[in-house]
Amino acid sequence: MPPPLDTPPLSILAENPPTGFPLQAIAVHITPDPAPLPEELQQRLDEQWTRHLAHARAHGKVLFDAPILCLHHAQILNASLHLHLIPSTYKRFLITALRDRDWFLQHNAAHAIHEALGNSALLTSAHPAPRALLGIRSPRVSAYPNRAHLLGGALDHFTPDPANPASPAPLIHHLQKELLEETSLTPADLPDPPRLLALVRDNTLGQPELIWHWPTTADLDRLAANLHPHEHAAPLLLSRDPLSPAVASLLTPVAQTAIRLWHSLPPS
């Protein structure tokens, strides 16, 4: 269901200008879902998943279930960003947030809607000139086919470290895994930690997303050539010059915001 006409395509949920949140200013809290799914809603979820799975297969699109984490709420306390997450599945996100949101709202079941937390990085390099790498999404993906987006994906479910349960380290491990899969980037190519530019919400998808800025020492042309073809139709390399209207229209709302925030960063 599309958002109301007066709803902006993207909302900023949290940001910390001018350079974003460092890792030490981010805390992650995972708790059980405060509103378990009733039987009648589970039946609707299962029926719609079966239908959408068959439709995806018939049209050659990629669709599979996996355990993920959803954003319950976020808050800034003493200049630190606290992310409160609940376990879920991609299946529940796809049906309740992306495909069947209007049905759940009409049946007074807004509490059943799970919005997957996206975890994505804007990869940049300062040499030979400042550039950023995005991937043009494959026509086979379920959201924003043929649009340019950051590298990353829905945050996988993880078990917190008992010794440091609020650590954001699993967010970074997830990003590293995604970047390795999508570009063959290695930890050695990322000598400095990323900074979180913003937590945003794509109001069309009903999905919150973490926008990280992660400079790399790797050759962006090499990374662009290595983009995984199952997820990306082509790379898109951008300079820090203002975007033309044609290029801006190619970017997802999250990617447009990431580029705007990157442009506002102090020169490195």
Side-chain angles (χ1 to χ4, degrees):
M1 180 186 71
L5 293 178
D6 59 350
T7 301
L10 184 137
S11 301
I12 302 291
L13 303 182
E15 64 177 328
N16 187 32
T19 59
F21 294 94
L23 289 182
Q24 62 269 26
I26 301 170
V28 180
H29 313 277
I30 301 178
T31 58
D33 183 1
L37 205 59
E39 183 178 350
E40 63 272 20
L41 298 184
Q42 182 67 50
Q43 181 177 351
R44 174 73 181 191
L45 177 66
D46 293 339
E47 291 173 350
Q48 291 300 302
W49 173 256
T50 299
R51 184 170 72 86
H52 285 290
L53 192 61
H55 183 271
R57 288 171 175 166
H59 290 81
K61 291 184 177 290
V62 178
L63 184 60
F64 59 91
D65 195 14
I68 60 172
L69 288 165
C70 293
L71 180 68
H72 187 258
H73 68 282
Q75 57 188 156
I76 297 178
L77 298 172
N78 299 321
S80 292
L81 176 63
H82 291 256
L83 301 170
H84 297 265
L85 312 180
I86 55 176
S88 189
T89 63
Y90 187 81
K91 168 183 172 179
R92 181 162 174 179
F93 163 60
L94 181 83
I95 301 304
T96 65
L98 289 183
R99 297 289 183 261
D100 214 18
R101 179 187 290 264
D102 54 347
W103 185 92
F104 283 88
L105 292 176
Q106 291 166 8
H107 288 77
N108 298 316
H111 63 277
I113 297 174
H114 275 191
E115 298 186 342
L117 180 59
N119 191 37
S120 301
L122 181 68
L123 277 179
T124 67
S125 174
H127 304 287
R131 291 189 300 169
L133 173 63
L134 291 84
I136 298 178
R137 292 170 63 80
S138 165
R140 294 187 294 269
V141 301
S142 60
Y144 289 123
N146 302 311
R147 299 277 296 276
H149 195 64
L150 310 184
L151 304 180
L155 181 61
D156 296 336
H157 182 272
F158 62 84
T159 301
D161 180 357
N164 192 6
S167 170
L171 304 181
I172 307 309
H173 294 157
H174 173 258
L175 270 184
Q176 288 178 327
K177 179 177 73 72
E178 292 286 334
L179 295 175
L180 173 62
E181 292 175 354
E182 296 184 35
T183 69
S184 299
L185 195 71
T186 68
D189 297 319
L190 300 164
D192 298 317
R195 293 181 75 94
L196 181 64
L197 297 183
L199 169 64
V200 301
R201 183 180 186 274
D202 183 315
N203 294 317
T204 299
L205 298 183
Q207 180 174 11
E209 188 148 359
L210 298 167
I211 297 178
W212 299 87
H213 174 227
W214 209 340
T216 177
T217 56
D219 180 356
L220 287 190
D221 292 300
R222 173 177 64 83
L223 299 183
N226 288 340
L227 277 186
H228 200 295
H230 289 297
E231 295 192 39
H232 305 285
L236 180 64
L237 288 164
L238 298 176
S239 71
R240 287 189 71 161
D241 296 330
L243 297 176
S244 69
V247 172
S249 67
L250 181 63
L251 273 57
T252 66
V254 168
Q256 291 181 25
T257 301
I259 294 299
R260 175 181 63 79
L261 294 171
W262 175 52
H263 284 178
S264 69
L265 292 176
S268 57

